[in-house]
Amino acid sequence: MEPFVESAVATLEQLRADLKAGLEGQSAGALNWQPLPGANSIAGMVAHLLESGNYLVQYGLGKTIPREREAQFAVTVPDAAALLARIDAGFEPILQNAHCYTEIDLQRVHEFRGERHPGAWFLLRACIHMTEHWGQIQLTRDLLATRQG
């Protein structure tokens, strides 16, 4: 496996572990809570994180998949177990496709939103974008915890 791909996969695997550890045991109320009207809940951000990561990783391989961005943020979950299962299921295609990157895939250029980027950019962008949302999820979780005392 290419060292860059190996590093990206390790980052994604660590992110999955961090998400699960950081959200395990949270109540449905906490996972579905919106800090402000119209703001994103943890469940919605997790759904977006997974779908955007999958989209980016596949795009860098020359594949396109449909997205329903607004629907992602409307996701709710009945409990933490359901969210953790969603995380595991959502990471599977991301990791599976990340493992598929070859040296040629990393170098192949794709048009994306009016700009041209090599495949490596998409894999890196997925890691960055997903970890940014993990930071937002932690802030949302911790904000609710401080409000609840």
Side-chain angles (χ1 to χ4, degrees), residues 51-81:
E51 191 168 315
S52 64
N54 187 34
Y55 180 83
L56 287 165
V57 169
Q58 290 199 44
Y59 202 101
L61 290 169
K63 304 174 188 177
T64 56
I65 58 172
R67 287 187 68 192
E68 295 182 32
R69 189 175 186 282
E70 294 308 313
Q72 298 162 22
F73 292 110
V75 166
T76 59
V77 293
D79 54 34

Side-chain angles (χ1 to χ4, degrees), residues 3 6 10-11 15 19 22 26 28 43 51-52 57 67 69 85 97 99 105 107 111-113 116 124 131 134 142:
E6 189 174 347
T11 298
L15 175 59
L19 278 162
Q26 295 291 313
E51 191 168 315
S52 64
V57 169
R67 287 187 68 192
R69 189 175 186 282
N97 282 289
H99 277 102
D105 294 315
Q107 294 175 18
E111 182 83 20
F112 183 72
R113 297 181 180 166
R116 296 174 53 79
L124 180 60
T131 55
W134 170 224
D142 296 349

Side-chain angles (χ1 to χ4, degrees), residues 112-139:
F112 183 72
R113 297 181 180 166
E115 296 182 16
R116 296 174 53 79
H117 301 286
W121 181 90
F122 292 92
L123 194 51
L124 180 60
R125 183 67 191 132
C127 291
I128 292 168
H129 187 76
M130 293 171 75
T131 55
E132 287 173 343
H133 284 301
W134 170 224
Q136 292 173 319
I137 289 165
Q138 291 174 83
L139 287 171

